[in-house]
mmCIF file of all heavy atoms in Angstrom:
data_model
loop_
_atom_site.group_PDB
_atom_site.id
_atom_site.type_symbol
_atom_site.label_atom_id
_atom_site.label_comp_id
_atom_site.label_asym_id
_atom_site.label_seq_id
_atom_site.Cartn_x
_atom_site.Cartn_y
_atom_site.Cartn_z
ATOM 1 N N SER A 1 104.586 61.234 128.993
ATOM 2 C CA SER A 1 105.618 62.230 129.302
ATOM 3 C C SER A 1 105.034 63.636 129.355
ATOM 4 O O SER A 1 105.265 64.383 130.309
ATOM 5 C CB SER A 1 106.734 62.157 128.261
ATOM 6 O OG SER A 1 107.719 63.125 128.539
ATOM 7 N N TYR A 2 104.223 63.986 128.336
ATOM 8 C CA TYR A 2 103.649 65.339 128.295
ATOM 9 C C TYR A 2 102.508 65.506 129.311
ATOM 10 O O TYR A 2 102.136 66.628 129.630
ATOM 11 C CB TYR A 2 103.175 65.675 126.877
ATOM 12 C CG TYR A 2 104.316 65.660 125.879
ATOM 13 C CD1 TYR A 2 104.219 64.969 124.665
ATOM 14 C CD2 TYR A 2 105.512 66.333 126.136
ATOM 15 C CE1 TYR A 2 105.262 64.934 123.760
ATOM 16 C CE2 TYR A 2 106.563 66.298 125.242
ATOM 17 C CZ TYR A 2 106.436 65.596 124.058
ATOM 18 O OH TYR A 2 107.493 65.573 123.161
ATOM 19 N N SER A 3 101.983 64.367 129.828
ATOM 20 C CA SER A 3 100.995 64.454 130.908
ATOM 21 C C SER A 3 101.674 64.722 132.251
ATOM 22 O O SER A 3 101.124 65.395 133.112
ATOM 23 C CB SER A 3 100.199 63.144 131.011
ATOM 24 O OG SER A 3 99.437 62.947 129.848
ATOM 25 N N ILE A 4 102.884 64.184 132.410
ATOM 26 C CA ILE A 4 103.645 64.409 133.644
ATOM 27 C C ILE A 4 104.227 65.823 133.654
ATOM 28 O O ILE A 4 104.089 66.564 134.625
ATOM 29 C CB ILE A 4 104.766 63.353 133.794
ATOM 30 C CG1 ILE A 4 104.147 61.977 134.068
ATOM 31 C CG2 ILE A 4 105.731 63.735 134.920
ATOM 32 C CD1 ILE A 4 105.140 60.834 134.029
ATOM 33 N N TYR A 5 104.895 66.175 132.540
ATOM 34 C CA TYR A 5 105.467 67.524 132.419
ATOM 35 C C TYR A 5 104.438 68.404 131.707
ATOM 36 O O TYR A 5 104.606 68.775 130.551
ATOM 37 C CB TYR A 5 106.794 67.472 131.644
ATOM 38 C CG TYR A 5 107.802 66.536 132.263
ATOM 39 C CD1 TYR A 5 108.101 65.313 131.677
ATOM 40 C CD2 TYR A 5 108.437 66.867 133.459
ATOM 41 C CE1 TYR A 5 109.016 64.441 132.251
ATOM 42 C CE2 TYR A 5 109.356 66.003 134.050
ATOM 43 C CZ TYR A 5 109.638 64.794 133.439
ATOM 44 O OH TYR A 5 110.534 63.937 134.019
ATOM 45 N N LYS A 6 103.357 68.711 132.419
ATOM 46 C CA LYS A 6 102.215 69.338 131.750
ATOM 47 C C LYS A 6 102.291 70.859 131.678
ATOM 48 O O LYS A 6 101.534 71.491 130.946
ATOM 49 C CB LYS A 6 100.903 68.897 132.390
ATOM 50 C CG LYS A 6 100.806 69.082 133.878
ATOM 51 C CD LYS A 6 99.554 68.381 134.387
ATOM 52 C CE LYS A 6 99.512 68.418 135.915
ATOM 53 N NZ LYS A 6 98.384 67.641 136.434
ATOM 54 N N LYS A 7 103.195 71.454 132.462
ATOM 55 C CA LYS A 7 103.378 72.909 132.348
ATOM 56 C C LYS A 7 104.199 73.186 131.103
ATOM 57 O O LYS A 7 105.298 72.663 130.943
ATOM 58 C CB LYS A 7 104.132 73.444 133.579
ATOM 59 C CG LYS A 7 103.265 73.604 134.814
ATOM 60 C CD LYS A 7 104.076 74.123 135.986
ATOM 61 C CE LYS A 7 104.436 75.593 135.813
ATOM 62 N NZ LYS A 7 105.210 76.109 136.971
ATOM 63 N N ARG A 8 103.636 73.976 130.186
ATOM 64 C CA ARG A 8 104.393 74.267 128.960
ATOM 65 C C ARG A 8 103.971 75.613 128.387
ATOM 66 O O ARG A 8 102.897 76.132 128.719
ATOM 67 C CB ARG A 8 104.226 73.162 127.935
ATOM 68 C CG ARG A 8 102.829 72.960 127.381
ATOM 69 C CD ARG A 8 102.813 71.783 126.414
ATOM 70 N NE ARG A 8 103.042 70.538 127.075
ATOM 71 C CZ ARG A 8 102.094 69.668 127.418
ATOM 72 N NH1 ARG A 8 100.836 69.928 127.110
ATOM 73 N NH2 ARG A 8 102.373 68.553 128.026
ATOM 74 N N PRO A 9 104.804 76.197 127.529
ATOM 75 C CA PRO A 9 104.476 77.490 126.912
ATOM 76 C C PRO A 9 103.134 77.456 126.178
ATOM 77 O O PRO A 9 102.750 76.434 125.607
ATOM 78 C CB PRO A 9 105.641 77.710 125.943
ATOM 79 C CG PRO A 9 106.771 76.949 126.549
ATOM 80 C CD PRO A 9 106.150 75.728 127.150
ATOM 81 N N LYS A 10 102.427 78.590 126.205
ATOM 82 C CA LYS A 10 101.095 78.678 125.576
ATOM 83 C C LYS A 10 101.162 78.579 124.054
ATOM 84 O O LYS A 10 100.322 77.960 123.422
ATOM 85 C CB LYS A 10 100.432 80.004 125.957
ATOM 86 C CG LYS A 10 100.025 80.109 127.419
ATOM 87 C CD LYS A 10 99.441 81.488 127.706
ATOM 88 C CE LYS A 10 99.141 81.666 129.185
ATOM 89 N NZ LYS A 10 98.680 83.043 129.481
ATOM 90 N N ASN A 11 102.160 79.237 123.469
ATOM 91 C CA ASN A 11 102.234 79.330 122.009
ATOM 92 C C ASN A 11 103.343 78.421 121.482
ATOM 93 O O ASN A 11 104.509 78.802 121.422
ATOM 94 C CB ASN A 11 102.487 80.779 121.591
ATOM 95 C CG ASN A 11 102.493 80.949 120.076
ATOM 96 O OD1 ASN A 11 101.846 80.199 119.355
ATOM 97 N ND2 ASN A 11 103.236 81.933 119.596
ATOM 98 N N LEU A 12 102.956 77.186 121.119
ATOM 99 C CA LEU A 12 103.917 76.236 120.557
ATOM 100 C C LEU A 12 103.790 76.232 119.038
ATOM 101 O O LEU A 12 102.690 76.094 118.497
ATOM 102 C CB LEU A 12 103.657 74.823 121.082
ATOM 103 C CG LEU A 12 104.088 74.483 122.515
ATOM 104 C CD1 LEU A 12 103.790 73.021 122.802
ATOM 105 C CD2 LEU A 12 105.557 74.787 122.750
ATOM 106 N N ILE A 13 104.936 76.374 118.365
ATOM 107 C CA ILE A 13 104.965 76.403 116.900
ATOM 108 C C ILE A 13 105.885 75.290 116.417
ATOM 109 O O ILE A 13 106.970 75.101 116.956
ATOM 110 C CB ILE A 13 105.507 77.756 116.385
ATOM 111 C CG1 ILE A 13 104.617 78.898 116.879
ATOM 112 C CG2 ILE A 13 105.603 77.772 114.870
ATOM 113 C CD1 ILE A 13 105.223 80.270 116.629
ATOM 114 N N ALA A 14 105.446 74.535 115.404
ATOM 115 C CA ALA A 14 106.290 73.495 114.817
ATOM 116 C C ALA A 14 106.564 73.838 113.359
ATOM 117 O O ALA A 14 105.646 74.210 112.628
ATOM 118 C CB ALA A 14 105.612 72.138 114.917
ATOM 119 N N VAL A 15 107.823 73.717 112.955
ATOM 120 C CA VAL A 15 108.179 73.943 111.550
ATOM 121 C C VAL A 15 108.795 72.663 111.001
ATOM 122 O O VAL A 15 109.692 72.076 111.600
ATOM 123 C CB VAL A 15 109.125 75.162 111.387
ATOM 124 C CG1 VAL A 15 110.331 75.082 112.292
ATOM 125 C CG2 VAL A 15 109.561 75.330 109.935
ATOM 126 N N THR A 16 108.250 72.194 109.875
ATOM 127 C CA THR A 16 108.760 70.983 109.248
ATOM 128 C C THR A 16 109.034 71.232 107.769
ATOM 129 O O THR A 16 108.594 72.229 107.201
ATOM 130 C CB THR A 16 107.785 69.803 109.460
ATOM 131 O OG1 THR A 16 108.463 68.575 109.160
ATOM 132 C CG2 THR A 16 106.534 69.929 108.596
ATOM 133 N N GLY A 17 109.745 70.299 107.142
ATOM 134 C CA GLY A 17 110.142 70.451 105.747
ATOM 135 C C GLY A 17 111.563 69.933 105.580
ATOM 136 O O GLY A 17 112.265 69.700 106.561
ATOM 137 N N THR A 18 111.979 69.739 104.335
ATOM 138 C CA THR A 18 113.336 69.230 104.103
ATOM 139 C C THR A 18 114.372 70.303 104.401
ATOM 140 O O THR A 18 115.313 70.091 105.147
ATOM 141 C CB THR A 18 113.493 68.741 102.647
ATOM 142 O OG1 THR A 18 112.475 67.790 102.360
ATOM 143 C CG2 THR A 18 114.856 68.095 102.431
ATOM 144 N N ASN A 19 114.192 71.478 103.803
ATOM 145 C CA ASN A 19 115.147 72.570 103.974
ATOM 146 C C ASN A 19 114.462 73.805 104.555
ATOM 147 O O ASN A 19 113.275 74.021 104.355
ATOM 148 C CB ASN A 19 115.788 72.926 102.624
ATOM 149 C CG ASN A 19 116.477 71.736 101.983
ATOM 150 O OD1 ASN A 19 117.280 71.072 102.620
ATOM 151 N ND2 ASN A 19 116.147 71.447 100.725
ATOM 152 N N GLY A 20 115.229 74.605 105.284
ATOM 153 C CA GLY A 20 114.729 75.889 105.769
ATOM 154 C C GLY A 20 114.193 75.903 107.183
ATOM 155 O O GLY A 20 113.879 76.960 107.721
ATOM 156 N N LYS A 21 114.070 74.725 107.818
ATOM 157 C CA LYS A 21 113.487 74.664 109.170
ATOM 158 C C LYS A 21 114.265 75.540 110.160
ATOM 159 O O LYS A 21 113.680 76.337 110.890
ATOM 160 C CB LYS A 21 113.463 73.221 109.684
ATOM 161 C CG LYS A 21 112.547 72.275 108.942
ATOM 162 C CD LYS A 21 112.426 70.929 109.621
ATOM 163 C CE LYS A 21 113.717 70.156 109.728
ATOM 164 N NZ LYS A 21 114.265 69.750 108.414
ATOM 165 N N SER A 22 115.580 75.364 110.171
ATOM 166 C CA SER A 22 116.414 76.106 111.133
ATOM 167 C C SER A 22 116.345 77.604 110.885
ATOM 168 O O SER A 22 116.312 78.401 111.827
ATOM 169 C CB SER A 22 117.868 75.641 111.056
ATOM 170 O OG SER A 22 117.965 74.277 111.379
ATOM 171 N N SER A 23 116.330 77.988 109.606
ATOM 172 C CA SER A 23 116.283 79.414 109.262
ATOM 173 C C SER A 23 114.963 80.037 109.687
ATOM 174 O O SER A 23 114.942 81.114 110.293
ATOM 175 C CB SER A 23 116.502 79.607 107.755
ATOM 176 O OG SER A 23 117.813 79.232 107.400
ATOM 177 N N VAL A 24 113.843 79.386 109.374
ATOM 178 C CA VAL A 24 112.532 79.907 109.772
ATOM 179 C C VAL A 24 112.471 80.040 111.293
ATOM 180 O O VAL A 24 112.037 81.067 111.823
ATOM 181 C CB VAL A 24 111.383 78.997 109.264
ATOM 182 C CG1 VAL A 24 110.045 79.437 109.844
ATOM 183 C CG2 VAL A 24 111.317 79.013 107.733
ATOM 184 N N ALA A 25 112.920 78.999 111.996
ATOM 185 C CA ALA A 25 112.881 79.004 113.461
ATOM 186 C C ALA A 25 113.733 80.134 114.025
ATOM 187 O O ALA A 25 113.312 80.852 114.937
ATOM 188 C CB ALA A 25 113.360 77.657 114.003
#
């Protein structure tokens, strides 16, 4: 999928954890 849709933003950030993900994002 990501090989087909290969155009993507340069700066990708991932936030994980039980709580606080939505707030940090």
Side-chain angles (χ1 to χ4, degrees):
S1 179
Y2 298 131
S3 295
I4 291 171
Y5 304 107
K6 53 190 174 185
K7 281 180 73 179
R8 65 182 68 100
K10 291 177 185 175
N11 183 28
L12 284 182
I13 300 170
V15 52
T16 195
T18 306
N19 303 309
K21 294 188 298 295
S22 299
S23 293
V24 172

